[in-house]
Amino acid sequence: EIVMTQSPGTLSVSPGDRVTLSCWASQSVSGNLAWYQQKPGQAPRLLIYATSTRATGIPARFSGSGSGTEFTLTISSLQSEDFAFYYCQQYDGWPSYTFGQGTKLEI
Amino acid sequence: EVQLVESGGGLVQPGRSLRLSCAASGFTFHNFGMHWVRQAPGKGLEWVSAISPDGYGLGYGDSVKGRFTISRDDAKNSLFLQMNRLTDEDTAFYYCGREDEAASGYIDNWGQGTLVTVSS
């Protein structure tokens, strides 16, 4: 099973900040990496797929990069609605896909 | 509009079974792979299982392999998760998710979840 590790666990930030979240895979997942956002009491929402492609309706302040085993999600200028949990997921290892443990963005 | 509505959650005793359902609408169900993902209270997301559009490709997370079975009924636009030999570690919200149209493996639409509580 491919293990996904996210860092940091919690990040204290302010509106307007530029933020970078990291995600590492225990082995190469090529570009098969997605990012999801989850707010308390809500289902997750797809932000980024194929490492760097924004999902429909996702603002341009969200961007993804990386390859192989190292990936990042960048939010260029934090808005109040961006305070949430963020999860990476690899989907290269069929029949076993795995999530990272998540990063919490807090004010 | 894509809609995924889970049902079947509830309180169940350890060692017992439970069957979850997910009713899909707003898209051509038989063209899409489907997933189950769970989240224990206050914890992160855990991928549970997936099924290919034709129903023959099945995948399971290590923690549920041999106990859970995923299936689908395309005539009823429904996804199922049969959960056997439940333990308290299976307590979680269970989300149904639609895989992307290209069957890459990521989840582009999610249901709101159903809560399963395993307790005596």
Side-chain angles (χ1 to χ4, degrees):
Chain A
E1 178 179 280
I2 299 174
V3 177
M4 306 300 292
T5 303
Q6 291 185 243
S7 178
T10 301
L11 193 57
S12 298
V13 293
S14 301
D17 284 354
R18 178 183 178 88
V19 172
T20 299
L21 283 60
S22 297
C23 173
W24 289 271
S26 60
Q27 64 189 70
S28 175
V29 297
S30 302
N32 296 314
L33 192 286
W35 291 92
Y36 303 87
Q37 177 193 66
Q38 187 182 33
K39 298 179 180 179
Q42 297 185 16
R45 176 175 72 144
L46 176 68
L47 292 178
I48 300 281
Y49 63 93
T51 300
S52 60
T53 304
R54 281 189 302 276
T56 303
I58 300 304
R61 64 180 182 273
F62 291 92
S63 63
S65 63
S67 65
T69 61
E70 298 187 17
F71 301 88
T72 59
L73 173 70
T74 299
I75 309 173
S76 60
S77 179
L78 270 172
Q79 306 298 302
S80 57
E81 61 266 30
D82 300 336
F83 291 94
F85 289 86
Y86 292 84
Y87 297 92
C88 63
Q89 180 210 13
Q90 67 81 16
Y91 51 94
D92 189 68
W94 174 263
S96 179
Y97 299 151
T98 45
F99 288 91
Q101 79 276 28
T103 292
K104 179 183 179 181
L105 287 189
E106 64 177 20
I107 300 175
Chain B
E1 178 193 4
V2 173
Q3 284 203 320
L4 300 168
V5 180
E6 302 92 338
S7 61
L11 176 64
V12 60
Q13 292 180 327
R16 304 297 292 266
S17 299
L18 202 62
R19 188 191 197 208
L20 304 183
S21 300
C22 172
S25 61
F27 63 101
T28 306
F29 183 71
H30 66 258
N31 285 345
F32 288 82
M34 298 295 295
H35 294 245
W36 288 100
V37 174
R38 69 184 181 183
Q39 185 171 38
K43 303 297 184 183
L45 301 174
E46 180 186 7
W47 181 80
V48 173
S49 185
I51 186 167
S52 61
D54 63 10
Y56 289 103
L58 307 175
Y60 297 96
D62 288 349
S63 63
V64 306
K65 205 171 296 184
R67 299 188 301 123
F68 289 14
T69 302
I70 191 171
S71 62
R72 62 191 298 156
D73 184 338
D74 290 346
K76 296 182 178 179
N77 289 344
S78 294
L79 176 72
F80 305 101
L81 186 68
Q82 177 67 41
M83 306 185 295
N84 298 332
R85 303 197 310 275
L86 286 161
T87 74
D88 56 358
E89 294 184 345
D90 296 315
T91 293
F93 284 93
Y94 284 74
Y95 295 100
C96 162
R98 188 188 80 167
E99 190 169 277
D100 67 288
E101 189 168 14
S104 303
Y106 61 88
I107 298 168
D108 66 1
N109 281 272
W110 297 70
Q112 286 303 304
T114 186
L115 177 61
V116 173
T117 303
V118 183
S119 174
S120 55

